Amino acid sequence: MSEVVSYDREGAIGIITVNYPPVNALGHAVRTGLLEALKQGQTDNDAKMLLVVCEGRTFVAGADIREFGKPMQEPGLVTVINTFESSDKPVVAAIHGTALGGGLELALGCHYRIALDSARVGLPEVKLGLLPGAGGTQRLPRLTGAKKALEMITTGEFVKADDALEAGIIDAVAQGDNSRTIGLEYAAKLIAEDKPVRRVRDITDKISADQGTEVFEAFRNNLTAKARGLFSPFKCVDAVEAAFSLPFDEGMKRERELFIECMESPQRGGLVHAFFAEREVSKVPGLPKDTPVRDVKSVGVIGAGTMGGGIAMNFANAGIPVTIVELKQEALDKGLSVIRKNYESSAKKGRITTAQVEERMALIKTSLSYDDFKSVDLVIEAVFENMDIKKQIFGQLDKVCKPGAILASNTSTLDIDEIASATSRPEDVVGMHFFSPANVMKLLENVRGTKTSDEVKATVMALAKKIGKVGVMVGNCYGFVGNRMLHRRGAEATALVNEGASPQQVDKVLTDLGFPMGQFAMSDLAGIDVGYSIRKERRKSGEDIPANWMDTLAEEGRLGQKTMAGVYQYEEGNRKPVVDPKVDELIAGFRKEQGIEPRAITDQEILERCMYVMVNEGAKILEEGIADRSLDIDIVWIYGYGFPAYHGGPMFWADQVGVKTIYETVKRFHDTVGGDQWKPSELLAKLASENKKFGDL
Ligand code: CAA
């Protein structure tokens, strides 16, 4: 008997139970066990109907992703599901938690489906660069029609039980907390009604109704913008279309061909890496799993600007009361009105209800005095980047806050240890670096100082999860992981323009790689003055940062989107960057002034200089232990800067390009371009000489 799938009977119902923690994924043992248990049910003369249920937190959450890329062991999932569908005895699936991917496909191979009202179903394969490859693209549209199936399969979004019932995906919803109980009751009812087997493959009314409609072309057009650069969403549409143009068995064959194309695409490798990396980052090396976590029931935020307001929203969204402190009432009023506007716009889009807008606003209090931080469990400082001011603030927090309160800074570049030195409790001080817009971007770069306690580290990592962020623990250095690498890329991109490239050429190379925006469009969004004041500070402290044309832009008041002009120009109400001939003139003037003779620069050189400089810096970050693993860097870039997840993050991307190739090129740029940024990382050199990858570390 299988260890992970069991068979028992209650009355006339034979029960097949999957028990394969954590998520009952359809690994080889489960697939084999399912077939064995089905056979037992079919030969059990006392069983009139069969029921499939799962133990643990969820119904089957899909194929076992860890088996991807390895040789397939029989029986395949398609065989298992077809065998269930062919059963002469009716089979019911009772769903709790999430029925996802191969899990929902298994349920669609059963003859009836019931779900707990808390359950959700979905076909999220597209998020892994795949398409549902075990009949999902053929069976789902037979139940829902083309539009709903395409929506679900091309976005991978989950559908709540009630909506799944309305869409025809499941047959019944029941309240309760036990899928076995509701499954047994439902099966008993079906037996009493003498319900026969009902195979989805034979249901054709929705298929005939939607035949020849334009829905497929419309979806393809829509995806051209929405799924830019992605491979599998388009294959999903092709596969669903096959359900309408081909008989079931032919459609299944077409689905298989398209599935294999996706499986073999490099995007699948990148997306699967990103899936596991996102889960791995929560396990911080050296931080024991059972480290106690402090209870954070209330939060203080210093600063009601864009960052402070966005940070406060995260906590209000999670039901945690927040107090925002500012120096002036006007700043508080303005900040609060921006927060309200953001919530109201979400309500208009139907993302939250108007009642939720009020609930969340009610959780946000404002004050002009630090005394209101007396009882909070965590304070996050979000004022502008100035060490003296930050130290002054932390000195004050040290006096006001209760013992055990966590004192966090949202600094994006400054030294956490120096900030902590302004307090008598550096063990309670930590960096919590949110990314703009803070209520939207999923990354939270948590920065450990030398003295930050394990408890505080564990608490901020747990908090990230609670407020729906992906937390990555990083070490303390200038710019931490994300901005340290970004600043290298920014300097190189600017230098490329000094030498002869145009800003739009540089940006296009980056967007062609899959970034949502290029370096200069991003500078315009963030504000040209931000980089300018950082460079000014660094020059003041003696660093040799040559003058560049971006400084001239800032000095002329072209600060980016906020002044409707920066590297690009903008039209009222439109964020689309438009090339501005005045900037070309300004750049030409700068080159002349510096005696630079512009040269033609190839896209390949732009790609190598912008990307390899980041990889080299990433390797130094690993070498210094600022990031524990290359996957931490990958997640910082995917969730903080929109690095295309299908490339798996910069370090995974580097592994695909080849560490050796990158090392050789970095050495060449060190000789030709020069500068500290091109000094090859020792780790990069070592990996190249050993023919290894970052992923091998
Ligand atoms: N295969 C293997 N492992 C999986 C898995 C899967 N399909 N889904 C989740 N896991 C693992 C996670 O890696 C994690 O492992 P660790 O504890 O070792 O880190 C563990 O299960 C728990 O996962 P989460 O931390 O994500 O837990 P959660 O409760 O937040 O979310 C979930 C649970 C909603 C199921 C989420 O894990 C999820 O979305 N999983 C992916 C589902 C999916 O994409 N299914 C489709 C698979 S492809 C397919 O089915 C192809 C096909 O058509 C044949």
Side-chain angles (χ1 to χ4, degrees):
M1 187 67 216
S2 160
E3 281 177 13
V4 294
V5 185
S6 59
Y7 178 80
D8 70 318
R9 191 166 36 74
E10 269 193 48
I13 303 161
I15 305 150
I16 297 169
T17 307
V18 182
N19 186 6
Y20 186 51
V23 296
N24 294 312
L26 290 157
H28 179 248
V30 175
R31 298 196 302 273
T32 317
L34 278 167
L35 283 187
E36 277 174 18
L38 179 69
K39 205 165 174 189
Q40 248 185 304
Q42 279 171 325
T43 50
D44 179 352
N45 290 334
D46 294 325
K48 282 197 178 151
M49 195 168 273
L50 303 176
L51 171 67
V52 181
V53 291
C54 291
E55 290 280 354
R57 67 211 256 194
T58 180
F59 192 78
V60 173
D64 191 336
I65 304 168
R66 291 178 204 274
E67 286 183 355
F68 290 177
K70 297 184 186 150
M72 168 67 197
Q73 275 183 287
E74 293 297 337
L77 190 53
V78 172
T79 308
V80 174
I81 293 173
N82 285 347
T83 314
F84 269 75
E85 191 173 53
S86 310
S87 163
D88 292 332
K89 285 185 190 173
V91 188
V92 179
I95 298 167
H96 75 290
T98 42
L100 301 177
L104 178 57
E105 289 174 304
L106 172 66
L108 295 177
C110 297
H111 307 124
Y112 297 92
R113 288 158 292 281
I114 181 165
L116 284 177
D117 55 355
S118 54
R120 289 175 304 159
V121 304
L123 293 173
E125 287 86 344
V126 72
K127 294 185 178 171
L128 300 171
L130 292 171
L131 55 81
T137 65
Q138 305 304 298
R139 291 194 178 92
L140 188 67
R142 283 176 157 75
L143 294 175
T144 64
K147 190 165 172 287
K148 183 74 184 171
L150 283 167
E151 266 166 23
M152 282 179 67
I153 294 172
T154 58
T155 64
E157 298 304 336
F158 300 172
V159 174
K160 288 185 192 146
D162 279 343
D163 298 335
L165 179 67
E166 201 184 314
I169 303 165
I170 56 177
D171 305 295
V173 175
Q175 287 184 341
D177 54 13
N178 189 322
S179 57
R180 185 178 163 114
T181 311
I182 61 154
L184 284 170
E185 280 169 11
Y186 185 56
K189 178 171 165 278
L190 294 175
I191 292 173
E193 290 168 4
D194 213 12
K195 291 282 189 199
V197 292
R198 187 195 53 173
R199 299 184 175 104
V200 175
R201 58 175 287 150
D202 298 331
I203 300 174
T204 53
D205 52 328
K206 296 261 171 60
I207 297 282
S208 354
D210 273 346
Q211 229 156 23
T213 63
E214 269 128 42
V215 64
F216 300 103
E217 261 347 278
F219 256 84
R220 284 191 185 95
N221 290 339
N222 193 12
L223 285 175
T224 308
K226 269 199 179 155
R228 196 176 63 88
L230 285 166
F231 180 75
S232 72
F234 296 91
K235 300 290 159 187
C236 289
V237 180
D238 293 350
V240 174
E241 195 171 23
F244 294 80
S245 58
L246 298 172
F248 183 80
D249 290 327
E250 296 294 308
M252 287 293 283
K253 272 194 205 141
R254 183 75 189 120
E255 179 191 86
R256 181 90 327 226
E257 287 162 6
L258 293 163
F259 179 76
I260 290 168
E261 278 184 44
C262 293
M263 197 54 127
E264 286 170 357
S265 129
Q267 293 197 353
R268 190 264 304 163
L271 288 163
V272 169
H273 168 74
F275 175 85
F276 284 119
E278 179 178 338
R279 280 145 186 88
E280 254 342 269
V281 291
S282 63
K283 300 161 199 159
V284 181
L287 189 64
K289 229 176 146 183
D290 53 0
T291 307
V293 169
R294 294 186 194 165
D295 208 5
V296 176
K297 290 205 200 101
S298 58
V299 174
V301 172
I302 306 175
T306 318
M307 267 334 258
I311 293 171
M313 287 174 77
N314 285 304
F315 292 98
N317 296 349
I320 301 172
V322 195
T323 305
I324 309 180
V325 166
E326 261 288 357
L327 292 175
K328 292 198 176 124
Q329 188 60 42
E330 301 88 85
L332 285 174
D333 294 344
K334 191 171 162 215
L336 215 55
S337 82
V338 172
I339 294 176
R340 175 170 281 284
K341 232 167 105 197
N342 284 338
Y343 278 140
E344 282 171 354
S345 135
S346 294
K348 255 192 213 134
K349 289 177 193 146
R351 291 193 190 132
I352 55 173
T353 62
T354 44
Q356 278 170 322
V357 173
E358 297 313 322
E359 273 162 35
R360 292 177 193 193
M361 287 306 294
L363 285 170
I364 304 176
K365 301 258 173 307
T366 58
S367 163
L368 294 169
S369 163
Y370 283 16
D371 286 344
D372 285 305
F373 288 156
K374 264 189 188 139
S375 61
V376 299
D377 301 306
L378 161 74
V379 181
I380 304 172
E381 161 276 313
V383 306
F384 59 93
E385 294 287 84
N386 179 305
M387 182 56 90
D388 293 339
I389 294 179
K390 293 204 191 247
K391 280 169 90 170
Q392 206 183 323
I393 289 175
F394 274 74
Q396 266 175 279
L397 290 178
D398 191 29
K399 288 196 193 97
V400 173
C401 293
K402 67 180 184 190
I406 296 174
L407 310 182
S409 172
N410 177 52
T411 177
S412 58
T413 52
L414 299 177
D415 185 343
I416 292 294
D417 287 334
E418 193 178 341
I419 295 176
S421 72
T423 73
S424 62
R425 39 174 140 172
E427 65 283 2
D428 289 335
V429 178
V430 70
M432 288 178 84
H433 178 208
F434 289 80
F435 285 68
S436 188
N439 52 319
V440 178
M441 296 301 283
K442 270 189 86 173
L443 179 67
L444 180 57
E445 208 181 23
N446 285 324
V447 189
R448 56 184 168 226
T450 318
K451 295 188 179 156
T452 310
S453 72
D454 277 2
E455 211 173 286
V456 168
K457 288 180 207 161
T459 304
V460 292
M461 289 302 286
L463 254 183
K465 211 170 203 169
K466 192 160 185 187
I467 60 173
K469 303 275 179 212
V470 179
V472 181
M473 182 56 73
V474 303
N476 184 26
C477 67
Y478 170 80
F480 318 123
V481 168
N483 279 348
R484 178 167 157 182
M485 289 167 72
L486 178 73
H487 290 179
R488 288 294 195 203
R489 189 185 79 177
E492 209 54 29
T494 309
L496 281 160
V497 176
N498 287 351
E499 292 167 39
S502 67
Q504 55 275 22
Q505 187 192 1
V506 173
D507 278 1
K508 183 164 184 309
V509 169
L510 293 174
T511 51
D512 283 352
L513 188 70
F515 278 101
M517 57 174 77
Q519 177 69 36
F520 297 111
M522 191 168 154
S523 303
D524 275 355
L525 180 70
I528 304 277
D529 47 332
V530 177
Y532 179 61
S533 55
I534 292 174
R535 286 193 296 280
K536 265 206 315 204
E537 285 294 313
R538 294 178 71 186
R539 285 178 185 130
K540 246 197 253 164
S541 68
E543 268 189 77
D544 178 25
I545 302 176
N548 65 48
W549 56 275
M550 291 283 279
D551 295 340
T552 320
L553 281 182
E555 282 151 12
E556 290 193 0
R558 295 186 65 117
L559 303 184
Q561 284 193 17
K562 59 186 165 192
T563 56
M564 308 292 286
V567 180
Y568 298 95
Q569 56 181 325
Y570 298 87
E571 281 154 19
E572 193 64 54
N574 193 341
R575 289 168 175 273
K576 194 170 173 267
V578 178
V579 174
D580 187 343
K582 276 194 222 138
V583 175
D584 293 339
E585 277 168 36
L586 181 145
I587 293 168
F590 172 81
R591 288 180 188 137
K592 214 163 160 195
E593 204 181 284
Q594 301 283 317
I596 300 169
E597 186 60 45
R599 62 185 174 94
I601 296 186
T602 63
D603 287 356
Q604 183 62 21
E605 180 177 346
I606 293 175
L607 180 82
E608 289 172 354
R609 283 181 57 187
C610 287
M611 294 301 296
Y612 295 3
V613 81
M614 287 197 349
V615 173
N616 194 38
E617 198 64 30
K620 291 177 187 173
I621 282 171
L622 283 170
E623 219 170 276
E624 294 165 24
I626 297 296
D628 293 317
R629 301 153 296 190
S630 57
L631 61 87
D632 292 300
I633 301 178
D634 287 336
I635 291 299
V636 164
W637 271 83
I638 290 173
Y639 286 120
Y641 303 88
F643 192 100
Y646 57 81
H647 286 312
M651 307 317 273
F652 185 86
W653 177 85
D655 280 347
Q656 312 314 303
V657 173
V659 169
K660 210 173 172 133
T661 307
I662 295 182
Y663 172 63
E664 296 298 335
T665 318
V666 165
K667 265 200 319 190
R668 177 162 54 81
F669 286 141
H670 191 224
D671 296 338
T672 53
V673 181
D676 203 36
Q677 75 278 20
W678 289 115
K679 190 166 171 260
S681 131
E682 282 171 27
L683 178 65
L684 189 68
K686 185 167 176 282
L687 289 177
S689 74
E690 293 170 356
N691 234 337
K692 283 194 175 152
K693 295 178 165 193
F694 289 107
D696 296 329
L697 289 171

